[in-house]
């Protein structure tokens, strides 16, 4: 009988998952450029809403997201809605490349031998990716915020009947030169701790949530492990909006700390805890959720588009890499007993 035959047998181990870093870095950069180009005007509105303060009689410069959008468009035109976008698009390439590729890298390294990845390890991978990205994110956000907020300061002065003739023209290059001249390279890293607080906590929530939502959707084919593109977009939107709302207080504090040119009545802060304390005391708990809806509307399509583009595999197509190839590992022969 066949069961009685003794001989050598080959044991085939489970397929080893390939990890190609370079294509993921390129895909992350492409995803970032496309995503930011689509949602930048909303991000500008979010920054101005977070930075606005009440006037002496309790009046607001902007009553809400739509009001801010319309006033900015009327005062500065279409291109004014993209103020600060050049530096953001330039630096978003390495920022998103690091964030998305690093998460995949850490997930790959933290996956257990049996192929499982517990939620705690998913959060660890996401948090590590968020920590890696702040090298680029901090100076990018610092420069972007100065350019985005310049229009708010000018509008605030006009509303108070003051002349804006002596208001210096702000550009990414002028801000960079001033910071390097006065504070050196570390001047570009103002607000690093607040950026770390926001980005690490965001990534710890976002990436595990996205991965688990993405698993629930339809596959590209019966034998594929990847979701269809539109489901990756939906998963990215859902995970992005929830994560954005969860960390909005940290984003408000970060935005306030990184603001260099203060408007009339703008508060000064000495670190994260001082900012939390003063905002809570002077503006109440609701201040920590200023721009939350706008941020959710920004982050949802940004990450939905970014994740969808990331999984398109543009870099793999250009480089001729088969990202679905999973080689089998042949183990040494073992003799049946």
């Amino acid at each position: 009988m066949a069961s009685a035959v003794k001989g050598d047998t080959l044991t085939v181990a489970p397929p080893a998952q390939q990890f190609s870093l370079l294509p993921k870095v390129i895909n992350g950069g492409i995803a970032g450029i496309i995503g930011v180009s689509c949602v930048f005007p909303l991000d500008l509105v979010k920054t101005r809403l977070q930075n606005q303060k009440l006037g002496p009689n309790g009046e607001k410069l902007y009553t809400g997201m739509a009001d801010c959008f319309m006033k900015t468009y009327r005062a500065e035109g279409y291109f004014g809605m993209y103020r600060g976008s050049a530096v953001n698009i330039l630096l978003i390439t390495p920022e998103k490349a690091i964030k998305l590729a690093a998460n995949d890298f850490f997930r790959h390294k933290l996956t257990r031998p049996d192929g499982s990845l517990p939620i705690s390890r998913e959060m660890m991978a996401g948090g590590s990716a968020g920590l890696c990205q702040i090298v680029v994110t901090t100076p990018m956000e610092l420069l972007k915020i100065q350019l985005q907020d310049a229009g708010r300061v000018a509008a605030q002065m006009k509303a108070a009947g003051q002349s804006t003739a002596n208001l210096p023209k702000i550009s990414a290059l002028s801000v960079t030169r001033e910071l390097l001249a006065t504070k050196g390279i570390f001047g570009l890293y103002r607000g690093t701790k607040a950026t770390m607080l926001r980005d690490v906590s965001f990534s710890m929530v976002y990436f595990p949530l996205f991965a688990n939502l993405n698993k629930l959707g339809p596959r590209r084919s019966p034998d594929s492990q990847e979701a269809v593109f539109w489901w990756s977009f939906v998963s990215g939107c859902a995970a992005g909006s929830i994560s954005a709302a969860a960390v909005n207080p940290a984003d408000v504090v970060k935005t306030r700390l990184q603001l260099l040119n203060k408007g009339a009545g703008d508060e000064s802060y000495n670190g994260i805890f001082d900012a939390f304390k003063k905002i809570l005391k002077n503006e109440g708990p609701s201040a920590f959720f200023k721009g939350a809806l706008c941020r959710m509307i920004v982050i949802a399509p940004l990450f939905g588009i970014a994740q969808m583009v990331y999984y398109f595999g543009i870099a793999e197509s250009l480089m001729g890499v088969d990202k679905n190839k999973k080689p089998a590992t042949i183990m040494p022969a073992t003799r049946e007993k």
Side-chain angles (χ1 to χ4, degrees):
M1 295 178 63
S3 60
V5 177
K6 297 180 180 179
D8 291 341
T9 61
L10 291 178
T11 304
V12 181
Q17 187 175 4
Q18 283 187 320
F19 186 84
S20 300
L21 184 61
L22 182 58
K24 291 184 180 294
V25 170
I26 295 172
N27 284 335
I30 295 171
I33 291 172
I34 295 174
V36 165
S37 299
C38 292
V39 304
F40 192 84
L42 287 171
D43 187 56
L44 180 140
V45 170
K46 184 268 302 180
T47 298
R48 294 190 178 181
L49 286 173
Q50 287 183 336
N51 280 328
Q52 79 163 338
K53 310 294 185 303
L54 295 176
N57 299 317
E59 70 275 9
K60 289 182 177 180
L61 182 60
Y62 308 115
T63 58
M65 188 170 67
D67 181 58
C68 180
F69 191 96
M70 292 305 299
K71 284 181 177 176
T72 301
Y73 182 78
R74 282 198 296 265
E76 302 172 50
Y78 174 79
F79 291 106
M81 301 303 298
Y82 280 88
R83 186 190 289 264
S85 62
V87 66
N88 205 39
I89 291 172
L90 177 66
L91 294 179
I92 201 70
T93 305
E95 192 261 1
K96 280 291 178 286
I98 291 170
K99 188 185 192 82
L100 296 173
N103 175 67
D104 275 358
F105 173 78
F106 287 117
R107 287 177 70 90
H108 177 73
K109 291 296 182 182
L110 292 170
T111 299
R112 288 175 173 170
D114 63 359
S116 65
L117 187 66
I119 188 68
S120 58
R121 294 196 179 198
E122 286 188 284
M123 294 178 70
M124 191 185 304
S128 299
L131 189 62
C132 290
Q133 78 173 78
I134 63 171
V135 175
V136 177
T137 305
T138 305
M140 179 187 75
E141 288 279 305
L142 181 70
L143 295 174
K144 181 194 73 172
I145 286 169
Q146 313 319 310
L147 298 172
Q148 286 183 332
D149 197 59
R152 179 192 68 91
V153 175
Q156 196 175 54
M157 291 177 68
K158 287 179 181 177
Q162 300 173 359
S163 173
T164 60
N166 297 323
L167 200 64
K169 254 193 164 183
I170 294 177
S171 69
L173 189 58
S174 66
V175 174
T176 303
R177 281 176 176 169
E178 183 182 348
L179 286 171
L180 290 175
T182 56
K183 298 184 179 180
I185 189 67
F186 293 107
L188 292 171
Y189 284 87
R190 174 172 173 161
T192 298
K193 292 178 181 177
T195 304
M196 186 187 303
L197 176 65
R198 184 198 68 171
D199 288 346
V200 171
S201 56
F202 176 89
S203 297
M204 288 178 71
V205 176
Y206 172 78
F207 282 114
L209 185 56
F210 169 77
N212 286 282
L213 287 174
N214 207 37
K215 287 177 184 176
L216 302 176
R219 305 293 94 180
R220 294 188 191 178
S221 61
D223 59 341
S224 175
Q225 293 184 346
E226 293 186 350
V228 293
F229 294 126
W230 65 266
W231 185 259
S232 293
F233 173 77
V234 171
S235 299
C237 287
S241 60
I242 293 170
S243 304
V247 303
N248 199 76
D251 188 58
V252 171
V253 169
K254 180 202 71 68
T255 301
R256 299 279 182 94
L257 287 173
Q258 288 190 317
L259 190 62
L260 300 176
N261 298 307
K262 305 288 185 182
D266 283 355
E267 185 74 73
S268 294
Y269 307 104
N270 185 27
I272 295 174
F273 294 111
D274 182 57
F276 267 110
K277 187 172 69 174
K278 284 182 178 177
I279 293 171
L280 182 63
K281 179 183 177 182
N282 299 332
E283 302 174 55
S286 61
F288 291 113
F289 291 93
K290 277 185 177 180
L293 178 60
C294 195
R295 179 168 160 76
M296 290 171 70
I297 294 173
V298 170
I299 294 295
L302 172 60
F303 275 86
I305 293 168
Q307 291 286 183
M308 184 174 65
V309 173
Y310 185 67
Y311 285 123
F312 268 144
I314 297 173
E316 285 88 350
S317 299
L318 294 174
M319 297 171 67
V321 176
D322 183 3
K323 64 177 181 176
N324 295 316
K325 186 180 178 182
K326 296 180 178 179
T329 303
I330 306 299
M331 304 299 290
T334 56
R335 183 173 296 276
E336 294 182 355
K337 301 289 184 182

